[in-house]
Amino acid sequence: MAEPEGPGAGAVADPRGVLRQGRAFLDFFWDIAKPEQEVRLAATENLLRHLREGRKDDELRYTLKRLVEGLGATREAARPGFSLALAQVLQAFEEISMCSVLEQIKEKHNLEKVKKKLVRNAAFGNFFGVMALFQSGRLVKDQKALLESIQLLQQLAHHQAHLRDLPRKTLIDIMSEVPETVFEEVLFDILQSDLASALTSPENLHLLLVAIQKFPGVLKPKNLKKLFGSSTVVNEENIPRLVELLQSAAKSEKKDKKLPGLVFDLLQVSLKEDAFELFWNEGVENRLLKEKSGPVSYMCYRLLGSALPLLSLDQLQMVLKGKVMQHYGEHVVTTQLPDRFKFAPEMEEYVDEFLNSCDDPERQLAVIIGFSTLTNQGFPVFSSSSKVVRHLQPVVLQKYIDWLKDMFLRPDLDCCLDFSSNRQKQNHGNVNTAQHKISRLRKWIIHRLANIVENAVKKEESLVMDISRFCFFHAFFEAKKKTAQIREASVLPSEPIDQQAHSATENYFFGLLQTLNTLTVLGDTAKAAALREKHIHGVTADGKLWIFLLVEYADKLLSSEHVKAVKPFTKGERDAWERTLQAVKNLQKKENKSDSAKVVAFQQLLLLMAIHLFKNHSETMDVLSDLLNCTEKAFSKEPKKKKSDNTEPGWVEVMVEILLSLLAQPSLLIRRISKSVFVRICPNLTKRGLQLILDVLDPYQEQDEESAVVVMEESEKKIKSAQDMDEEGSADSSDEGDTEEENDSGDEEENEEVDDNFRSQLMNVLQAGNALGGDESDEELDDEAMMALDKNISALFVEQQKRIQAKKDEKDRMRKEKILRRDFKIKVLDLIEAFLTKQSENPLVFDIIEPLLRVIEQCMSSDSDKQEVDFLQKTANIFRNSLCRTKQYCKRVDALQEDLHAFVERLVKKASKHTTSSVALYYFSASLYLLRVLKGNVSDKSSTSAPLAQTQSNTTPQACQLLSTGCLDMERVTAIYRQALTQFLTKRKSALTCSMFHDLFKRFPIMCKPLVDTLVKSITAGARQHQQTQACLLLQKVLLLHELKLFMTREEWEELIKESISQVTESLKMAGKCMVKADKEKVAKNLELLNFLLKTVKEQKLNVKLMDLEKVLVALNQPEGFGNSARLDSLYWNVMLWLDYKKPKKEKTANKPVQETESLKRKKKGFLPETKKRKNRKKGIQESGAGPGTGEDGDPAASEEQALGTETPKQKKGLMPGGSKHKNQNRGVKENGLAMVGNGEEAVNGGDAVADKKKKKKKMRNRKRKGNTGNEAEQAPAAKKAKGTIGQETQQKQGQANQQKQGKAKKKRKVKKTPVLQE
């Protein structure tokens, strides 16, 4: 086998010599065969290093032998590994003959002598051998080896079932590396037959094409005609056969999804022979494309993309207007389904690569225009957002933009390669008109222009402004007549621009405006570089806003007589426009003065509203007028006379209302600018302005409206989807859906009233028609009466259906309003987050805490959908990250001390009274945030921390910082948290958790000393075991804080430790014998705390008496004390170590055989009887006198089966073996499962052992008679005894009882196999 076979494959000279050197050398070959590539490469490097350092001939010969054997390995990963290793060895040791290695490969992997099932491995062995010779780089230099390798590859080409086209590809690779002289002298003769039969197979044709390109001096047209029959490959005679070979190549490599090398080489040869037009028109377009085959079509597309860099300008124009392009466009249009293969991304890569590598501007322009004119009913197939334009040269980009603008104004559909799909041809109707095509083309062009600003890399400010003006002009204006003053009006459209084109241009313009707002500063000037370093966006190199330049351009258009607006301004709108421009100019004068952020904010918002005045006149006018009035107030020089008058809102409040109204707009640009404006006016925000924002988030506002909206979302969505699918569907289905919706909403009373009303109306109609009378009334109704009754009933049902539909529409409207309202609140949260981030030191931050908590509480208590969950998560993240965890906080709270302390008390009480821990955690975290604010501020009353400073006069500066209380009223805060801690530890149900108080103690160590007494008392005074456990856990974490010692003297610390030990002692006294899970957890925490306390006492040498504790702990060490809890046992002995008690070594008890017997009894198959265990089988005959079973004095050793408490002192100390092998003469009584043995004075002799053996065989033969052995074994469990004792008999009986269940034959077989070993 080709696998590494270990020591079996020795060296040639000395079969054992190499193998005796160790495993390190042999392990290289095992690693080379492993599937991991990194391991194979590392093994190859290590093998080469070892061979270079050793320079041993036997190792080198063995290496070649192993590597040659591995070339035909069964595992696929091993073959290339051995091939690479062999190539590296041949490259490193040039003294190795290439021919000898090749002969060794042929001999080892002989295709003629190998067995049929190993032909595949042998073929691969030969192939990878040639690959190794070629990769070594020495094959081309050795002509003899080269010739034999080519001949071997020709032989391997016949094994296509295994190797496919690998030998031909390798032959082509080798030939491409061979010099022309070597090819002519050595290879040409042996390859002549393959070259002459080039049209018989794709491989031979590929070989010929490579030879023509590589060796033009050898394969001249004259020689080619002698060899091939014609002086050229691409001609009219060969086209049909070439097409067949190309089709075969396309189908053979369809899985690779790449262009076959044969096709690309044929393209290059056709260009060399000046036959490209013939090849493309006759071969590709007229023959290959006519075969409706996916692989062939994709091969043509790839050939088109690959040919772009090779073609001249004329050839490019021919190809880009040909059938292949049209066929590709049809493919793009018809493969819009998600599960279809799409070639468009691959074609875009071809175009991107060509534009990136091409330096010819004309060819670049031809390709980008060629793909832009491939249209489907006027709409270009090429993506309008493609990023390939980033590779265009500046000159080409400008020409392309000019071409796009000219096509927009004067659409030339004749220059487009337009097509229609089969479905479009069937539904041509009135759709396929010139105007429809022009409208689609203009829509694509505007999007393409707007996208160039975003994606083009090499762009200048003039180019960006040119595109922006063009889009703005054709979105809102029309040219009356030509004028040279306005560039956009210098050319009139050949076809009038309809309203649909204006609307599309308008939408794309505002997308362009968003791009301009985030555009980095362009230009190479120093000022532009400085602005880029400051991360300023949306301005030009001289600092002007892009939007301001567009407003100036718009004002120029409004004052021009040669153009008119699509939606003309009224007199009021024009006055507002003039006021806006004047206000912007006034703001620009103040920009360099103080408060520039506010100036920029107003300026940006005014310009945005001015632009939006062209889009929506009525809505924008209201906002613009309010904004202008607000601007006048904000920058008015008059003093604030009416500061105390709260009736008139300030400019900040007005601005906040404007921003809130703008946040509700669907435009992303408006929302982003609104947020940026809010960030700039944050320092000026007042409490009333902030309250306007918080009112939006108030969950209890508009509660009546929202309560009517709370319905089942799923049922409404189902009804809505059914309504969209069939608006005129059956009344029954909608009625059922409405009934389900009513039941889901829970409004049963109203539904009953509706049903009762409808029922009463139906009864009235039936009574009016006498349809509810007796049997006689049925006979009295004639046809006319029946028809009238049917009409009345039908009208009644129609009215009922209308009421149901109206009710359903109302609920759907309310649901949509709820979704919009929630979406608006999510957007408003962005303003809250911005304020907390930018103004974290503002005292108004405290007003945000409770509204956010109310939102969190309301969202957690309601059954929420995904949007509600997103709203909750965003609110919680803002509260946690932007508020509670912020590094900056308010430093001016001296005047707010009383309010903040009351706020802390209110938050802690709400956290204590809450029923949900997750909500209580947010309230508690808010109180900790306020504690940090109060502690971090310096109070005017410096005497606050005087007592602490006096007690710790010699502390470090870090300790002084910890001891500082700031503005904290320690007595009041301590009372607040002591009450909460007491409630947590005394009430059965509390929303507070241990982690909350641990966070309190960890972040504020100053709170540890006042509250630690409560923790100590709660060890025994807790409401339940759980609360006492939490008290122990908290106390241990508090005592571990090293900051606690800074607040206490040594006497106080010692008293705390003493009191803690006393409380734990009392708690352990209350521990019962039969403990439940809660009791065990409590004892465990007690022991953990006690372990720390005793460690502290011992290490710090505190004066604490431990007598009472020792008595309690010793009393706990009872057999029934901890049960089977290994954890409690471990914790207990960890504590006892501090009291100088050591855990006794565990002795083997007599109960163990009982457990073993029970386990054997449970096992039905595969058990090992006691008689077959090694310790019982090795019982042999002992010599007379003191044997292995006797003690030091010659007495027999005591057995393991002695009861607890009967061990001798020597046995306790481990000096005597507990389970010696001897014969016990006292076959006495068994009590409590323990064997009561005698003195054991008789010595063990060989005769007794023989007698026991005979007795044992006799009992085995009489096994069938003893049916009650199982019961006896259960009543008297067997202990470990020597042979012949009662314990052993009982074990044998137990094994027999289990064996009876498995058949007589199996029992006899096991009896025969039972060995009895003797010494």
Side-chain angles (χ1 to χ4, degrees), residues 250-251 254 288 291-302 327 331 341 343:
K251 294 175 182 178
K254 62 181 181 180
L288 286 176
E291 183 181 354
K292 303 298 182 180
S293 172
V296 176
S297 298
Y298 297 140
M299 183 187 70
C300 294
Y301 305 155
R302 293 187 177 100
H327 202 276
H331 160 78
F341 174 69
F343 192 80

Side-chain angles (χ1 to χ4, degrees), residues 582-593:
Q582 187 60 40
V584 170
K585 291 179 181 179
N586 295 335
L587 289 175
Q588 288 178 347
K589 296 177 182 178
K590 302 177 182 180
E591 191 171 356
N592 296 327
K593 299 181 181 179

Side-chain angles (χ1 to χ4, degrees), residues 203-222:
E203 293 80 10
N204 290 343
L205 177 61
H206 195 193
L207 186 67
L208 176 63
L209 295 175
V210 173
I212 291 174
Q213 298 178 77
K214 182 66 177 176
F215 313 112
V218 179
L219 295 176
K220 298 177 181 179
K222 184 187 300 184

